[in-house]
């Protein structure tokens, strides 16, 4: 869990405005708690589901460092349940999104920033597909790649080679 801790410490979460209108300091705590989770019941997180980092189709300021933390989790030794939540989080952050009015007004493009941050860990997503740990994690990783991978040939070859490592609807 050292990579996750180091990545969380790199960012000034208190200086970021959360989707709930407060500082994003609690987002860092939530991400760390998720990394430490060992069971599915411990993997509940407000980060995804309650509008702190994103709402459906809307990204908020903490979304960009959250991508980096999620990638660090894929490189780290987190539980299978936590890994599934982190890959789901990545998919949500790089999916078909817009951004908050505040970010747009400030001249930010959170969608592009999240995509660029995720591209820096593209091989972690490919490794997740072929690791064979979880069809769920592999499928989320593959779906995230469909949003960030510029090489359609590579993605198609990985999809074909992955076979039963991916959910049936992605094969």
């Amino acid at each position: 869990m050292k990579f996750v801790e180091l990545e969380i410490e790199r960012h000034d979460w208190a200086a970021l405005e959360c989707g709930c209108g407060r500082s994003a300091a609690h987002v860092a705590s939530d991400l760390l708690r998720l990394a430490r989770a060992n069971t599915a019941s411990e993997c509940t997180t407000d980060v995804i589901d309650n509008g702190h980092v994103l709402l459906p189709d809307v990204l908020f300021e903490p979304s960009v460092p959250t991508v980096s933390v999620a990638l660090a989790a894929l490189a780290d030794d987190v539980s299978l349940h936590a890994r599934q939540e982190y890959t789901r989080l990545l998919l949500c952050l790089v999916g078909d999104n817009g951004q908050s009015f505040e970010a747009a007004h400030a001249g930010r493009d959170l969608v592009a920033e999240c995509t660029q941050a995720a591209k820096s860990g593209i091989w972690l997503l490919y490794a997740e597909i072929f690791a064979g740990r979880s069809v769920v994690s592999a499928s989320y990783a593959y779906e995230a790649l469909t949003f960030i991978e510029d090489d359609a040939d590579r993605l198609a070859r990985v999809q074909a080679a992955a076979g039963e490592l991916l959910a049936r609807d992605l094969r």
Side-chain angles (χ1 to χ4, degrees):
M1 210 157 343
K2 197 63 173 168
F3 295 144
V4 172
E5 292 171 357
L6 290 171
E7 191 58 29
I8 287 171
E9 290 171 4
R10 286 187 58 240
H11 303 281
D12 184 2
W13 297 89
L16 301 174
E17 186 175 339
C18 181
C20 70
R22 301 179 307 170
S23 102
H26 64 93
V27 172
S29 299
D30 204 30
L31 290 169
L32 186 56
R33 185 175 48 76
L34 176 58
R36 291 179 176 155
N38 289 311
T39 65
S41 63
E42 293 174 338
C43 284
T44 58
T45 176
D46 285 342
V47 172
I48 302 172
D49 300 320
N50 290 324
H52 296 282
V53 175
L54 73 152
L55 288 170
D57 304 324
V58 179
L59 297 174
F60 296 105
E61 197 173 23
S63 60
V64 179
T66 300
V67 169
S68 296
V69 172
L71 290 170
L74 295 184
D76 218 331
D77 185 27
V78 299
S79 73
L80 181 60
H81 301 290
R83 184 172 293 281
Q84 290 173 349
E85 281 301 299
Y86 273 113
T87 53
R88 179 171 82 101
L89 177 57
L90 270 170
L91 173 57
C92 290
L93 291 169
V94 300
D96 201 11
N97 292 312
Q99 66 181 359
S100 68
F101 293 117
E102 295 81 9
H105 190 288
R108 304 258 328 253
D109 185 348
L110 296 178
V111 175
E113 290 176 43
C114 283
T115 299
Q116 193 60 40
K119 283 182 177 184
S120 73
I122 201 164
W123 290 107
L124 290 168
L125 294 169
Y126 280 117
E128 190 64 33
I129 292 169
F130 289 107
R133 287 183 283 257
S134 161
V135 170
V136 172
S137 291
S139 297
Y140 286 149
Y142 174 79
E143 288 184 279
L145 284 164
T146 66
F147 288 101
I148 66 169
E149 175 58 88
D150 295 325
D151 189 333
D153 179 61
R154 179 188 299 138
L155 191 60
R157 289 172 183 265
V158 165
Q159 181 183 28
E164 292 186 7
L165 296 172
L166 295 174
R168 186 173 307 278
D169 62 322
L170 298 177
R171 295 179 195 160

